[in-house]
Amino acid sequence: MASGFGCLPSGDVKYSAGGARRVGNALPSSCQPSTPAPEHARYPRWLRLTRGTDLQKVLREGKRARTEHLEVRFLASLLRHPRVGIIVPKHRRSIVERNRLKRRLREIVRCEILPLVPALAGDVVVRAGPRAYEATFEMLRTELSAGVQQIIARRKAP
């Protein structure tokens, strides 16, 4: 069911309910188009691990590396590119805190992990522990990089 409210590409606001057009009630910033990320800074959907069955398979069968705040699991796949999944349990936290932690981990994966393992053919799942909510961005970044490095080293060693 449509509400009759919409944003035009120019940022103008239109109301279709009753044919009336109200421009004065909308905030100017409420319909601004978002700035697209640079081409080199993308985290495309085909690099994400989103299906629950895939996540459960990696958690059940994958090799594990633990850090103080995170658990990283890896499972080889037939795909020629890595896929990364992020799991952030609630741990009695607010949705704001949970979303902030997910955004931080996603940014670390996008900037640090995907360029680190471009030829790694497998699925990686990052699971946050209860203490990850108190960790700084730098702590999360070093721990996630260390966890992935541990898995890469184990994979290369016979």
Side-chain angles (χ1 to χ4, degrees):
M1 182 174 194
S3 64
F5 174 80
C7 295
L8 299 174
S10 65
D12 293 337
V13 179
K14 73 171 187 176
Y15 291 86
S16 62
R21 182 177 173 97
R22 298 182 218 153
V23 179
N25 289 344
L27 295 173
S29 63
S30 65
C31 292
Q32 295 290 327
S34 63
T35 305
E39 193 62 37
H40 67 277
R42 302 258 181 198
Y43 183 26
R45 183 140 181 95
W46 56 276
L47 291 177
R48 298 179 197 168
L49 192 61
T50 57
R51 292 180 51 201
T53 55
D54 294 339
L55 290 168
Q56 288 301 321
K57 184 175 181 180
V58 174
L59 289 174
R60 196 174 48 250
E61 301 172 14
K63 302 288 183 197
R64 180 179 65 188
R66 281 192 184 172
T67 63
E68 185 179 348
H69 299 104
L70 302 172
E71 177 183 332
V72 182
R73 291 202 179 241
F74 173 80
L75 183 65
S77 74
L78 298 175
L79 298 174
R80 297 177 190 226
H81 60 275
R83 293 187 303 171
V84 180
I86 298 172
I87 299 174
V88 180
K90 292 179 186 175
H91 297 297
R92 296 186 179 167
R93 299 298 181 134
S94 71
I95 193 66
V96 174
E97 292 172 304
R98 186 169 176 232
N99 285 338
R100 181 181 300 124
L101 181 57
K102 282 194 290 190
R103 282 193 308 268
R104 286 178 175 178
L105 291 174
R106 236 183 275 131
E107 181 69 9
I108 294 167
V109 165
R110 183 182 68 80
C111 293
E112 304 277 333
I113 304 307
L114 289 177
L116 183 67
V117 289
L120 188 65
D123 298 334
V124 178
V125 173
V126 178
R127 185 175 191 168
R131 297 184 54 210
Y133 287 95
E134 284 87 26
T136 64
F137 185 83
E138 290 300 318
M139 291 169 67
L140 291 172
R141 188 169 82 183
T142 56
E143 286 185 19
L144 189 52
S145 296
V148 171
Q149 291 289 350
Q150 285 178 12
I151 289 175
I152 291 172
R154 282 189 212 156
R155 189 160 185 251
K156 289 182 180 177

